[in-house]
């Protein structure tokens, strides 16, 4: 049930910069896509353009949208 509401909320934020934490990683970047089982974030690490990171939704511990804060 929680994943349903998380996907719904994240779909409203596609195109925004977000920060996502998992058990062993913290990632920030542009939210590109929200699928049923994963999200796609475009990482801006200043070394290369367009690095896409796929994160499984069930692994997400926290999502922060700096635009809302």
């Amino acid at each position: 049930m929680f994943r349903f509401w998380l996907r719904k909320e994240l779909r409203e934020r596609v195109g925004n910069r977000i920060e996502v934490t998992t058990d062993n990683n913290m990632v920030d970047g542009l939210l590109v896509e929200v699928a049923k089982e994963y999200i796609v974030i475009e990482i801006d690490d200043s070394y290369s353009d367009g690095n896409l990171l796929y994160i499984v939704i069930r692994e997400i511990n926290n999502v922060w949208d700096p635009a809302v804060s």
Side-chain angles (χ1 to χ4, degrees):
M1 186 66 158
F2 171 75
R3 287 187 293 226
F4 170 79
W5 292 109
L6 179 60
R7 281 192 308 268
K8 184 179 182 310
E9 187 69 29
L10 288 172
R11 282 188 183 113
E12 295 175 7
R13 304 200 187 294
V14 170
N16 290 357
R17 180 163 295 284
I18 63 169
E19 186 175 288
V20 176
T21 57
T22 63
D23 284 343
N24 58 3
N25 205 356
M26 194 279 292
V27 177
D28 72 345
L30 187 67
L31 181 61
V32 177
E33 180 183 349
V34 178
K36 184 176 181 178
E37 296 295 324
Y38 62 89
I39 64 171
V40 181
I41 296 179
E42 183 177 353
I43 306 298
D44 179 18
D45 60 4
S46 301
Y47 294 109
S48 60
D49 293 334
N51 287 336
L52 297 179
L53 181 63
Y54 293 76
I55 301 174
V56 178
I57 290 177
R58 72 175 178 271
E59 301 296 326
I60 295 173
N61 292 334
N62 187 33
V63 178
W64 183 59
D65 184 350
V68 174
S69 299

